[in-house]
Amino acid sequence: MAPKFDYTSMGFITFDALCRPVTAIPPGGDTYFVDEFTLAVSGAAGSAVIVAAKHGLKARAVGGVGHDDMGDWVLMKLASFGIDISLMSRCEGFATSSSVVTTRPDGQRPALHKRGATDGFFIEDSEIEDLLDTKILHVGGVGLMNRMDDSGRTREIMAEARRRGVITTLDVFASTKADLPKVEALLPFTDYFLPSEEEASALSGLTGNRELAQFLIDRGARSVILTMGGNGAYYLDHDGQEIRSQAYDVDVKCTCGCGDCFNGGFATGLVKGLPLPAAVDLGQASSAQNATGLGSQAGVRDYQSTLEFMRRTARRPLL
């Protein structure tokens, strides 16, 4: 029997309020005016699942929100994309994970973040069977999932996913060297590890694409894809296969969620059976479209629009 879902995205799901352009925070009680303001569901799990749903995948979001207005809005917005929210938890004693994003004119996005229910949600034994009824399990936000990670539950779930033949993808949140033990515990059950170049360097202390990726493969990952913004993406697997994918050349409005949108686009390529280089390119296109709008996934419409974007958009040269 075919799995119930194509893509299940578990982990960091956040409420974002974004504005642009911001060049400075007003001093004292002053007010500065901005041109744009919007709300979005974001996060390493949230942005990815929305892109997958927009591309037509049967998608499920798994994580936590609080008993607050932000949580109400996050659940409403996820459901509006046709995403299953039956395993989203209302976490007692936690606010919804939320950010204020101050997008710079060049697209960079310094943020003020309130940690919240991502730290508090938990998958019970009785929910694991349902959770793993999926083609792909994406775990996004290691470093913010305290109850899941500290208890070993994330590792147990990924190990069981591997045993069942579920494809596993993994992403982190702004990692530091201190997060390496949490990540190392999951890499032996990870088919595709998807950190940014900066996150991989922070985890390993290394530089250089192949060295960064090999460090993570040596710790158990079958494949590593480094997302590198305007420099594209780099893929390496345990068999030594390398792929270098050029970034799409776009006018950048906001980079919030670009790596997370890559993950949803890449998963779309896997589900649709694209050759691996084409799946990486689809991730690149999803990331690039995201950068053209304010708020995660804003520039992504649907699968056909993404394919058309890929046909008509020039690529940046590889450095």
Side-chain angles (χ1 to χ4, degrees), residues 72-289:
D72 293 345
W73 192 88
V74 165
L75 295 178
M76 176 278 295
K77 195 66 175 176
L78 288 170
S80 75
F81 294 113
I83 295 167
D84 184 277
I85 57 172
S86 59
L87 287 180
M88 288 293 297
S89 303
R90 293 276 196 173
C91 299
E92 297 293 338
F94 289 89
T96 299
S97 302
S98 300
S99 299
V100 176
V101 181
T102 59
T103 302
R104 301 311 195 221
D106 65 357
Q108 295 302 308
R109 70 287 188 249
L112 305 171
H113 181 68
K114 160 67 177 175
R115 292 185 70 142
T118 298
D119 275 332
F121 88 94
F122 189 78
I123 299 298
E124 302 291 345
D125 291 350
S126 60
E127 297 173 315
I128 293 177
E129 186 75 25
D130 188 20
L131 173 72
L132 295 180
D133 193 3
T134 186
K135 293 178 183 176
I136 297 176
L137 173 67
H138 175 63
V139 177
V142 176
L144 289 178
M145 301 164 54
N146 280 356
R147 189 177 177 202
M148 287 287 291
D149 293 339
D150 292 347
S151 67
R153 179 47 47 110
T154 307
R155 186 179 190 277
E156 292 171 2
I157 287 171
M158 291 192 70
E160 181 62 15
R162 168 63 59 81
R163 190 186 71 81
R164 297 181 182 212
V166 175
I167 297 170
T168 55
T169 63
L170 178 68
D171 199 1
V172 292
F173 175 81
S175 287
T176 67
K177 189 74 171 180
D179 293 314
L180 182 59
K182 290 183 178 181
V183 174
E184 279 188 308
L186 305 178
L187 290 180
F189 313 106
T190 300
D191 291 309
Y192 300 96
F193 184 37
L194 303 153
S196 69
E197 182 181 32
E198 294 83 2
E199 288 164 341
S201 183
L203 287 170
S204 66
L206 301 173
T207 58
N209 293 340
R210 188 177 181 94
E211 291 77 13
L212 290 171
Q214 191 63 54
F215 174 90
L216 298 163
I217 288 170
D218 289 344
R219 282 151 182 80
R222 288 186 175 175
S223 310
V224 172
I225 306 176
L226 303 176
T227 55
M228 302 183 296
N231 292 326
Y234 174 80
Y235 170 97
L236 181 69
D237 63 28
H238 66 292
D239 292 325
Q241 180 183 7
E242 286 184 287
I243 298 170
R244 291 178 172 84
S245 177
Q246 298 162 267
Y248 288 87
D249 193 7
V250 297
D251 292 327
V252 174
K253 179 176 282 190
C254 180
T255 59
C256 185
C258 281
D260 308 325
C261 291
F262 177 98
N263 299 342
F266 175 70
T268 300
L270 295 181
V271 169
K272 292 184 178 294
L274 300 183
L276 192 55
V280 174
D281 283 348
L282 190 63
Q284 289 280 78
S286 303
S287 177
Q289 288 179 101

